[in-house]
Amino acid sequence: MSGYIHIYCGDGKGKTTAAVGLSVRCAGAGIPVVFTQFMKDGTSSELSILRQLPGVHVLCVEEHFGFTWTLTEEQKKRANIVYTELFLRAAKLLDQIIQNENIEYKKSNHPKVLFVLDEIMAAYNYHMIDQNIVLQWIKQRKNEIEVVMTGREPKDELLRLADYITEMKKRAHVYEQGVNARQGIEW
């Protein structure tokens, strides 16, 4: 096995930041990256720099559905269609990259591609993506694909598949002092 599964979870800040950092590290090592973002509208600041890096492919949707606790069932159904299509588009791109890349590493434990599923946990937990498609793809993925999933409260079936689990724990956050999310720091 050369591709492992990472989960960055918890109520603290830093889950996406860790995924972006690993993406930059992989890109720097010549490993292609497919960075897919759910629950956001494609305007997060990290995406602008990731899009400029050679070998990094950023996939997201411009449609923003809002916070999970404010959505109607109809909005969740719409999100399920949009996010499942996004996931399938990313999976197809991964296959194309693996077929087109002729990457030979000195050690067999290096992945051929990094697949980031940023904020997948909320989409998964609230049925805003087809859980069966995601779960089956992860279980049956090619060994060369390293997977990173971020978000709060990962389901047990995802935790059982993970090789790395890092939990960000909030001890303090400026939001508690009335400070709204700041560009470049939180988004």
Side-chain angles (χ1 to χ4, degrees):
M1 174 71 92
S2 61
Y4 295 98
I5 297 173
H6 306 238
I7 292 179
Y8 301 135
C9 59
D11 64 355
K13 181 181 171 355
K15 298 175 287 291
T16 297
T17 306
V20 169
L22 188 56
S23 297
V24 170
R25 179 175 284 166
C26 281
I31 299 169
V33 176
V34 174
F35 192 97
T36 308
Q37 200 168 62
F38 302 86
M39 309 303 296
K40 298 175 182 174
D41 63 2
T43 61
S44 294
S45 298
E46 66 272 8
L47 300 182
S48 63
I49 197 69
L50 286 175
R51 286 181 175 114
Q52 296 177 42
L53 297 177
V56 176
H57 309 269
V58 176
L59 299 176
C60 52
V61 295
E62 292 179 8
E63 192 169 351
H64 184 61
F65 296 96
F67 294 109
T68 54
W69 59 90
T70 67
L71 301 180
T72 65
E73 286 306 310
E74 193 61 37
Q75 289 170 315
K76 287 180 185 177
K77 286 179 186 175
R78 170 76 182 137
N80 183 291
I81 293 167
V82 170
Y83 290 144
T84 301
E85 287 175 358
L86 175 65
F87 181 86
L88 292 172
R89 192 166 34 113
K92 185 177 180 180
L93 177 58
L94 287 165
D95 287 340
Q96 291 171 349
I97 290 169
I98 289 172
Q99 290 172 2
N100 293 336
E101 292 290 325
N102 188 13
I103 304 169
E104 294 184 30
Y105 293 104
K106 294 176 184 171
K107 297 180 182 176
S108 63
N109 65 344
H110 289 75
K112 284 192 176 179
V113 63
L114 177 69
F115 185 25
V116 176
L117 298 160
D118 185 41
E119 296 295 347
I120 187 74
M121 298 308 173
Y124 189 91
N125 292 348
Y126 292 96
H127 302 278
M128 295 169 66
I129 193 167
D130 188 312
Q131 291 178 333
N132 292 326
I133 288 175
V134 172
L135 195 58
Q136 289 308 309
W137 184 91
I138 291 171
K139 287 179 179 179
Q140 298 170 359
R141 78 191 189 286
K142 294 181 173 97
N143 287 339
E144 303 95 339
I145 301 172
E146 192 101 358
V147 177
V148 173
M149 295 181 281
T150 72
R152 296 173 181 236
E153 301 174 358
K155 296 284 189 188
D156 287 339
E157 63 265 24
L158 297 176
L159 290 169
R160 283 192 294 273
L161 295 172
D163 302 292
Y164 298 86
I165 300 172
T166 302
E167 185 173 359
M168 288 22 172
K169 181 171 175 55
K170 179 184 66 128
R171 302 290 276 284
H173 196 291
V174 297
Y175 182 78
E176 296 164 340
Q177 300 167 21
V179 178
N180 290 329
R182 298 170 297 146
Q183 187 175 12
I185 303 299
E186 281 83 25
W187 61 278

